[in-house]
Amino acid sequence: MQRVYNFSAGPSMLPLEVLEKAQSELLNYNNTGMSVMEMSHRSKPYEEIIATAEALLREIMSIPENYKVLFLQGGASTQFAMIPFNLTKNKKADYVNTGNWSSVAIKEGKRFTDLKVVASSEDKTFSYIPTIDKGELRADADYFHYTVNNTIYGTRFTEYPETGNVPLVCDASSSVLSEVYDMSKFGIFYAGAQKNIGPAGVTVVIIREDLIGNALPDTPTMLNYETHAKAGSMHNTPPTYGIYLAKLVFEWVKAQGGVAAIQKLNEAKAKLVYDAIDESQLFTAHVPNLKDRSLMNIPFFATNEDLDAKFIKECASLGLTTLKGYRTVGGMRASMYNGMPMEGAKALADHIKKFDMENK
């Protein structure tokens, strides 16, 4: 079978060049006679891998020197507890609710802190980015948390929340490396790997150094950022192969011209699909406001569920897979992370147009 265009929300497509490189090194990495999967994380070859991965990420994301880069486990979901454990000096935190994952983060954060939801788009099924009233923000909050791109509902922030001296904490799991972010704006910027960084199992945390070392007294060792910062992400055995694949992805991003070049390509891919949806008579995008639309995740639906099912079936026969929408939205969801080539976006846009002509 030929490779398909996989529109899954995650784990997602990886660049073909990355997979081919990993394949060529699978059994014998750099003449060590072993796979990276078999290699001690204390060995010199692996120390070079993780050091190179960090250096590349710092380069392509322009991470300032006063930030630590941590390669952790537990997914972005573990960060929902790790953040309040480490940052809640005053036991206060402000959150924005823009979808499923911010809702989960809020639920977890309430276990550890006086949490205030300062803005929400729940009233319209998370189909827009809410306006943040600065008067709702607390100057003595320990941090302000938001999810910059919402995987399920297809919205994204295009402006940085203004939080004054309160550290800005960002879950960027579904948009990291997809567009340029100014790292100096953030106290913590974190992301699960399985969309734009590599396979599931690695979580990247970029944290300003002054926020390390302030954990609550009862914070578990493995949930303390200081533990991992002091040990260079190797307090325990890290997800070695996942970090190796992340390194290959970082090399690939650099070879494409960096994150800015990747962003231009992502904007072009998204425009192809959004234009096809907006110009059709059958399909509607979940997010009406162009400014709020995600580049990575495009939820859309036809005029009825039968047409949705027919469209998904036809797409699958063309090698356009994993397009079924999340249950709270329905319809379809096209996730087009960095690994999705332009050809995949064009094939989907073309079939949207064809289906619209044949079924309107």
Side-chain angles (χ1 to χ4, degrees):
M1 174 181 281
Q2 293 183 341
R3 283 179 59 79
V4 298
Y5 293 119
N6 176 17
F7 291 91
S8 169
S12 62
M13 285 188 75
L14 289 171
L16 183 60
E17 298 94 325
V18 168
L19 294 175
E20 290 174 339
K21 177 70 170 176
Q23 182 184 48
S24 72
E25 297 179 333
L26 180 62
L27 300 180
N28 183 4
Y29 173 76
N30 200 22
N31 292 320
T32 59
M34 67 181 79
S35 172
V36 175
M37 286 186 281
E38 304 168 299
M39 190 179 292
S40 168
H41 63 295
R42 303 297 182 188
S43 66
K44 286 186 178 180
Y46 188 74
E47 288 177 353
E48 290 176 0
I49 288 171
I50 194 170
T52 302
E54 178 178 337
L56 282 165
L57 186 61
R58 285 184 175 278
E59 179 183 354
I60 61 178
M61 291 189 69
S62 300
I63 299 172
E65 291 185 1
N66 63 323
Y67 284 72
K68 293 288 188 183
V69 174
L70 308 178
F71 296 103
L72 305 181
Q73 301 179 60
S77 296
T78 297
Q79 296 305 307
F80 299 159
M82 203 163 176
I83 289 160
F85 266 130
N86 284 266
L87 299 189
T88 50
K89 180 181 178 181
N90 296 323
K91 296 286 184 74
K92 291 183 179 181
D94 292 343
Y95 281 63
V96 178
N97 188 13
T98 50
N100 182 77
W101 295 112
S102 59
S103 298
V104 176
I106 287 166
K107 182 178 179 180
E108 189 75 354
K110 284 180 176 179
R111 294 161 54 89
F112 309 106
T113 186
D114 170 19
L115 189 152
K116 180 181 180 182
V117 177
V118 297
S120 174
S121 55
E122 188 174 8
D123 62 324
K124 293 184 179 179
T125 323
F126 301 115
S127 60
Y128 68 101
I129 293 297
T131 300
I132 299 170
D133 181 356
K134 290 184 179 180
E136 292 293 319
L137 306 186
R138 296 178 291 184
D140 61 344
D142 294 302
Y143 62 90
F144 177 104
H145 181 282
Y146 79 118
T147 305
V148 67
N149 185 85
N150 296 284
T151 317
I152 291 172
Y153 297 97
T155 59
R156 69 167 176 145
F157 282 81
T158 53
E159 298 175 352
Y160 301 106
E162 295 293 336
T163 60
N165 294 323
V166 175
L168 184 60
V169 176
C170 176
D171 178 354
S173 293
S174 56
S175 61
V176 63
L177 299 182
S178 71
E179 57 183 290
V180 175
Y181 293 107
D182 181 355
M183 286 296 102
S184 67
K185 297 282 189 183
F186 302 99
I188 297 178
F189 186 92
Y190 69 95
Q194 64 274 15
K195 303 172 192 297
N196 276 327
I197 293 175
V202 180
T203 304
V204 172
V205 176
I206 301 166
I207 179 170
R208 206 172 66 214
E209 290 180 349
D210 65 290
L211 298 178
I212 299 172
N214 305 305
L216 297 174
D218 295 332
T219 300
T221 300
M222 294 303 293
L223 297 185
N224 191 329
Y225 290 126
E226 189 173 23
T227 300
H228 304 285
K230 284 183 175 179
S233 300
M234 291 203 287
H235 176 77
N236 64 332
T237 305
T240 53
Y241 199 72
I243 294 170
Y244 155 73
L245 280 169
K247 178 186 80 76
L248 297 185
V249 171
F250 302 156
E251 291 173 346
W252 177 82
V253 170
K254 182 178 178 179
Q256 307 311 302
V259 177
I262 292 285
Q263 178 174 342
K264 288 182 179 179
L265 182 61
N266 286 333
E267 289 169 346
K269 290 188 298 185
K271 187 176 188 305
L272 269 179
V273 177
Y274 279 123
D275 284 352
I277 294 168
D278 292 341
E279 292 167 5
S280 74
Q281 296 184 34
L282 287 180
F283 296 104
T284 304
H286 177 66
V287 180
N289 189 341
L290 271 61
K291 182 182 178 182
D292 293 346
R293 286 178 171 179
S294 169
L295 299 179
M296 298 286 95
N297 313 100
I298 304 178
F300 63 104
F301 44 88
T303 51
N304 61 67
E305 292 183 359
D306 289 340
L307 283 174
D308 288 341
K310 182 180 179 182
F311 179 79
I312 291 169
K313 184 177 180 180
E314 287 188 11
C315 283
S317 71
L318 298 171
L320 310 174
T321 69
T322 330
L323 278 163
K324 186 175 181 179
Y326 194 75
R327 62 181 180 273
T328 55
V329 181
M332 286 68 64
R333 174 175 51 172
S335 295
M336 300 189 298
Y337 300 113
N338 291 352
M340 175 64 68
M342 179 63 77
E343 293 80 4
K346 186 177 185 304
L348 176 59
D350 287 347
H351 193 61
I352 289 172
K353 295 174 184 178
K354 182 175 182 291
F355 190 90
D356 182 60
M357 289 292 296
E358 295 175 347
N359 294 273
K360 64 184 178 182

